[in-house]
Amino acid sequence: MSRSVPRILAAPVVAAALLAPPGAAAAGPPLGPSPVVTRAGLDPALVAGRGATVDYVEQEAEHGRTTGTVIGPDRSAYTLAGEASGRRAVRLLPGQHVELTLPRSTNALTVRYSIPDAPGGGGITAPLRVSVGHAPPRTMTLTSQYAWLYNQYPFTNDPGADLLHPDWWITECSCVPAATTPAPVIGKPFRPHHFYDEQRMLLGRTHRAGEVVRLTAPRGTAAAWTVIDLVDAHLVAPPRTVPRAVNALSFGADPTGRRESADAFDRAIAYARRVDRPLYLPPGTYQVNRHVVVDDVTIAGAGSWYTVVRGREVALETPAPDGSRHTGVGFYGRDAADGGSSDVHLSGFAIEGDVRERIDTDQVNAVGGALNRSTIDGLYLHHTKVGMWFDGPMTGLRVTNTVIADQIADGLNFHTGVTHSSVTNSVVRNSGDDALAMWSEGTANASNTFAYNTVQSPVLANGIALYGGADLTVAHNLIADPVREGSAIQVGSRFGAEPFTGRLRITGNTTVRAGTYDLNWNIGLGAIWFYALDRSIDAADIEVRGDAYLDSTYNAIMLVSDWPVKDSVRIDNVRFRDIRVDGTGTSVVSARTAGGASFANVDARNVGAVGVNNCGSFHFTPAGSEFGLTDLGGNDGGWLASWLLPNTITCDDRPPVVPPPPPSRW
């Protein structure tokens, strides 16, 4: 039961004075109209101080000039508009184009796009003509080989496949197909998703602000349509060198990519460790089709635009002890069971994988293993299963200034006993599962931080997810456009995670167009949601402070337990303070659990339904709901009326949605 939410986002305009210096208009190519610059599809003023500081400027294609068609807005899963940044994009038929004006000096572009799958799955390739100013047009070769998944988890590349799990309940028929007579007819392809990919292009020169970028789907292309979602305009620094470094070329690494370089990397790493010097990967494309094991070494590239480590996914003759059926390009620390690796420092290169299907047992991640007292900076990770998956126990990892794009599963996961580690100033776009996660399976994570990151369009699950652990911080992140079965921020006792203990701080984050529709529960989620499943969430010190929840599709805040355990788990001791809610399709708070929370200085406007939708644990007792709300004052906007306190039953299981106006400055 998917739903389209019609609304048009405000279009922030960069002042024309920023386009070119005085006296420059008479020289060079003609200037285009003023560009519309956004961050996560929003006026940048609405998200100041939140998210990553990046070397590019974002422009949504729908704000450009086009001979094509703007699609959306749409919040529905399984639609091209629903997976687009800002929930709108531009569809081009062969011969059509979209134009954008450069808002700054630019020498490189990233284009986020979608083209059709092959009829039988597996993807196609198609050209996109890129023209900037009066420079000769260049051709970008687009592909859908890493997109277009179908069906139920863990999905398939086959659009004609029957249900992978006919014994699962599905929303489409509100039934278990294998137990239904007569058997329901399920349309194919079933649940197509993960439509988008992105590609980068160095332009070969620097173009000035005000020049026009034209993206054209050429006549004769194999793609019946080409959807352009957004364009990032970069000003990339020149390739860097590393003084006194060991050069990988001296050990036989091939920068043309024609020969395998994994063995050469091994030799170069061993020598760099022996002489205690960094290893330098000069500009080039290096073919690596297996894991490169790293320990006590610094590896630096010339920059992620210049040094690319690329590999194929390779089937193993027999499965590995960890269950992997494939291997592929990746830099891995040693297993934690073997002591892990330490003092590893990776920076300034890209890892391009070749993962096209989700096999959860496969270790085909860009970076993995256990890395203690290590740093990762300035990487670009693309087309692997997970950008970074760390299996602890391990401690002291710092990830900074890194881009993770177009993953089949998670963007990054701190899994099992990861402590004193952080991810900051990084971008995750189009992950196939949680973009950033801390998962305390079996052994608790502790003292970790996700801060100042930008997450865009996670196709499945959440932008940021915490599954158990102690003393965790999620701060100053920008999270936009989660698509289905998750939302922007989740605090969950699930997946066998250890309990939450100590201090949990979620502070200063902004979410936008979050609160997705959960297909299994058949309800809308909150932009932030606390979920009790395996056990209660009752750490003594849980505070959500300073967040902004903008244009939430359903609720801003949800506290929920699953129906089979609703009488045995609770959510308690959660404090919400200094929150701004601008636009909800339904309520500010949806409570579907026993427990309680307090609220202070939570301001809300443009609320679509009753401020508090309080179902408790669905017993509807004469004493009121099993969930209590404490008003600590300063809660403006009328959403927390006195009659709702402390535990009035206001349960509307699936309230109608009232789309709010676009968010604006407070």
Side-chain angles (χ1 to χ4, degrees), residues 43-58:
D43 181 343
L46 296 177
V47 292
R50 313 288 172 98
T53 301
V54 295
D55 74 337
Y56 58 82
V57 177
E58 171 191 283

Side-chain angles (χ1 to χ4, degrees), residues 612 614-615 624-625 627 629 642-651:
V612 179
N614 194 344
C615 298
S625 168
F627 188 87
L629 294 90
S642 59
W643 66 270
L644 295 167
L645 301 170
N647 62 336
T648 303
I649 297 170
T650 57
C651 187

Side-chain angles (χ1 to χ4, degrees), residues 380-473:
Y380 178 80
L381 310 178
H382 199 216
H383 291 160
T384 53
K385 187 183 81 174
V386 176
M388 303 186 200
W389 184 286
F390 299 104
D391 290 305
M394 54 173 270
T395 192
L397 174 68
R398 302 286 182 266
V399 178
T400 53
N401 307 312
T402 287
V403 175
I404 304 173
D406 303 324
Q407 301 297 310
I408 288 288
D410 299 38
L412 175 146
N413 198 308
F414 286 164
H415 178 232
T416 305
V418 178
T419 64
H420 300 284
S421 296
S422 63
V423 180
T424 58
N425 206 62
S426 294
V427 175
V428 185
R429 187 153 63 197
N430 197 39
S431 60
D433 212 307
D434 293 325
L436 296 172
M438 304 184 199
W439 181 15
S440 296
E441 185 183 28
T443 304
N445 295 330
S447 303
N448 299 323
T449 298
F450 291 155
Y452 293 101
N453 302 293
T454 297
V455 172
Q456 291 175 279
S457 301
V459 174
L460 177 72
N462 304 282
I464 293 179
L466 306 179
Y467 304 122
D471 301 325
L472 308 178
T473 300

Side-chain angles (χ1 to χ4, degrees), residues 240-296:
R240 70 171 177 176
T241 58
V242 181
R244 298 190 62 255
V246 173
N247 193 316
L249 302 187
S250 301
F251 295 82
D254 178 11
T256 71
R258 288 190 292 267
R259 290 183 289 105
E260 246 272 12
S261 291
D263 291 347
F265 278 15
D266 288 345
R267 293 190 296 269
I269 288 169
Y271 182 79
R273 290 185 59 188
R274 190 160 59 248
V275 299
D276 193 23
R277 288 160 54 189
L279 172 62
Y280 179 56
L281 307 181
T285 297
Y286 301 88
Q287 181 189 158
V288 172
N289 301 314
R290 61 167 171 82
H291 298 170
V292 175
V293 178
V294 290
D295 186 19
D296 188 24

Side-chain angles (χ1 to χ4, degrees), residues 42 84 105 111 134 159 204 209 219 260 267 320 336 347 429 455 458 468 476 492 500 523 553 555 572 610:
L42 284 176
S105 296
V111 178
H134 289 330
R219 298 186 187 279
E260 246 272 12
R267 293 190 296 269
S347 67
R429 187 153 63 197
V455 172
H476 309 296
F500 288 101
I523 60 173
T553 309
N555 313 287
D572 285 295
V610 64

Side-chain angles (χ1 to χ4, degrees), residues 441-651:
E441 185 183 28
T443 304
N445 295 330
S447 303
N448 299 323
T449 298
F450 291 155
Y452 293 101
N453 302 293
T454 297
V455 172
Q456 291 175 279
S457 301
V459 174
L460 177 72
N462 304 282
I464 293 179
L466 306 179
Y467 304 122
D471 301 325
L472 308 178
T473 300
V474 175
H476 309 296
N477 302 284
L478 170 59
I479 307 152
D481 296 309
V483 176
R484 67 186 186 104
E485 295 178 53
S487 196
I489 301 172
Q490 183 187 162
V491 178
S493 62
R494 57 190 305 201
F495 303 129
E498 294 298 298
F500 288 101
T501 59
R503 187 175 74 173
L504 177 60
R505 290 289 181 268
I506 300 174
T507 179
N509 305 283
T510 292
T511 74
V512 58
R513 297 177 300 274
T516 69
Y517 182 79
D518 188 280
L519 290 168
N520 299 310
W521 286 341
N522 201 23
I523 60 173
L525 302 178
I528 182 172
W529 60 307
F530 286 72
Y531 178 26
L533 176 62
D534 294 350
R535 54 169 56 86
S536 295
I537 298 175
D538 54 5
D541 191 3
I542 304 174
E543 184 172 77
V544 181
R545 184 169 188 160
D547 280 6
Y549 306 127
L550 309 180
D551 196 2
S552 300
T553 309
Y554 295 95
N555 313 287
I557 298 165
M558 172 177 267
L559 305 104
V560 60
S561 56
D562 204 8
W563 187 267
V565 298
K566 67 183 179 63
D567 296 328
S568 59
V569 300
R570 300 170 55 89
I571 300 174
D572 285 295
N573 305 322
V574 185
R575 305 189 308 276
F576 294 90
R577 176 177 292 273
D578 304 330
I579 307 293
R580 287 186 171 177
V581 176
D582 190 354
T584 68
T586 55
S587 299
V588 175
V589 175
S590 176
R592 303 171 70 93
T593 182
S598 66
F599 301 86
N601 300 320
V602 177
D603 298 345
R605 64 188 184 190
N606 301 316
V607 177
V610 64
V612 179
N613 188 17
N614 194 344
C615 298
S617 51
F618 290 88
H619 288 292
F620 309 123
T621 71
S625 168
E626 298 87 353
F627 188 87
L629 294 90
T630 302
D631 182 355
L632 297 181
N635 298 299
D636 295 336
W639 71 273
L640 191 57
S642 59
W643 66 270
L644 295 167
L645 301 170
N647 62 336
T648 303
I649 297 170
T650 57
C651 187

Side-chain angles (χ1 to χ4, degrees), residues 122-473:
I124 64 172
T125 60
L128 180 72
R129 190 163 63 242
V130 181
S131 302
V132 185
H134 289 330
R138 304 161 65 93
T139 298
M140 181 180 281
T141 301
L142 309 183
T143 181
S144 55
Q145 293 168 333
Y146 301 98
W148 290 91
L149 298 177
Y150 305 92
N151 221 294
Q152 298 158 294
Y153 175 90
F155 317 118
T156 174
N157 301 116
D158 180 5
D162 294 324
L163 291 175
L164 298 182
H165 304 284
D167 56 334
W168 287 8
W169 185 92
I170 61 172
T171 304
E172 284 77 6
C173 65
S174 297
C175 71
V176 176
T180 301
T181 303
V185 176
I186 306 301
K188 299 178 183 179
F190 183 58
R191 295 182 180 175
H193 67 284
H194 208 271
F195 304 119
Y196 286 88
D197 204 339
E198 69 177 45
Q199 198 165 143
R200 307 191 300 171
M201 173 181 280
L202 287 166
L203 298 175
R205 53 164 285 193
T206 299
H207 294 266
R208 64 176 181 154
E211 293 189 55
V212 173
V213 177
R214 174 181 282 196
L215 306 178
T216 304
R219 298 186 187 279
T221 173
W225 47 260
T226 300
V227 170
I228 305 298
D229 181 25
L230 58 77
V231 176
D232 294 331
H234 303 254
L235 186 61
V236 178
R240 70 171 177 176
T241 58
V242 181
R244 298 190 62 255
V246 173
N247 193 316
L249 302 187
S250 301
F251 295 82
D254 178 11
T256 71
R258 288 190 292 267
R259 290 183 289 105
E260 246 272 12
S261 291
D263 291 347
F265 278 15
D266 288 345
R267 293 190 296 269
I269 288 169
Y271 182 79
R273 290 185 59 188
R274 190 160 59 248
V275 299
D276 193 23
R277 288 160 54 189
L279 172 62
Y280 179 56
L281 307 181
T285 297
Y286 301 88
Q287 181 189 158
V288 172
N289 301 314
R290 61 167 171 82
H291 298 170
V292 175
V293 178
V294 290
D295 186 19
D296 188 24
V297 66
T298 296
I299 303 176
S304 71
W305 288 83
Y306 306 108
T307 300
V308 178
V309 183
R310 182 187 302 273
R312 301 187 305 273
E313 187 177 73
V314 178
L316 300 173
E317 291 185 5
T318 59
D322 62 8
S324 292
R325 292 157 46 189
H326 301 84
T327 188
V329 59
F331 288 78
Y332 272 65
R334 295 187 300 158
D335 288 346
D338 298 325
S341 293
S342 300
D343 300 306
V344 173
H345 307 283
L346 308 177
S347 67
F349 56 92
I351 300 176
E352 287 275 358
D354 187 37
V355 178
R356 308 181 190 197
E357 60 182 337
R358 179 165 177 164
I359 302 174
D360 282 343
T361 55
D362 273 357
Q363 286 284 351
V364 285
N365 309 317
V367 183
L371 298 178
N372 297 281
R373 299 180 300 281
S374 298
T375 61
I376 295 171
D377 181 72
L379 301 190
Y380 178 80
L381 310 178
H382 199 216
H383 291 160
T384 53
K385 187 183 81 174
V386 176
M388 303 186 200
W389 184 286
F390 299 104
D391 290 305
M394 54 173 270
T395 192
L397 174 68
R398 302 286 182 266
V399 178
T400 53
N401 307 312
T402 287
V403 175
I404 304 173
D406 303 324
Q407 301 297 310
I408 288 288
D410 299 38
L412 175 146
N413 198 308
F414 286 164
H415 178 232
T416 305
V418 178
T419 64
H420 300 284
S421 296
S422 63
V423 180
T424 58
N425 206 62
S426 294
V427 175
V428 185
R429 187 153 63 197
N430 197 39
S431 60
D433 212 307
D434 293 325
L436 296 172
M438 304 184 199
W439 181 15
S440 296
E441 185 183 28
T443 304
N445 295 330
S447 303
N448 299 323
T449 298
F450 291 155
Y452 293 101
N453 302 293
T454 297
V455 172
Q456 291 175 279
S457 301
V459 174
L460 177 72
N462 304 282
I464 293 179
L466 306 179
Y467 304 122
D471 301 325
L472 308 178
T473 300

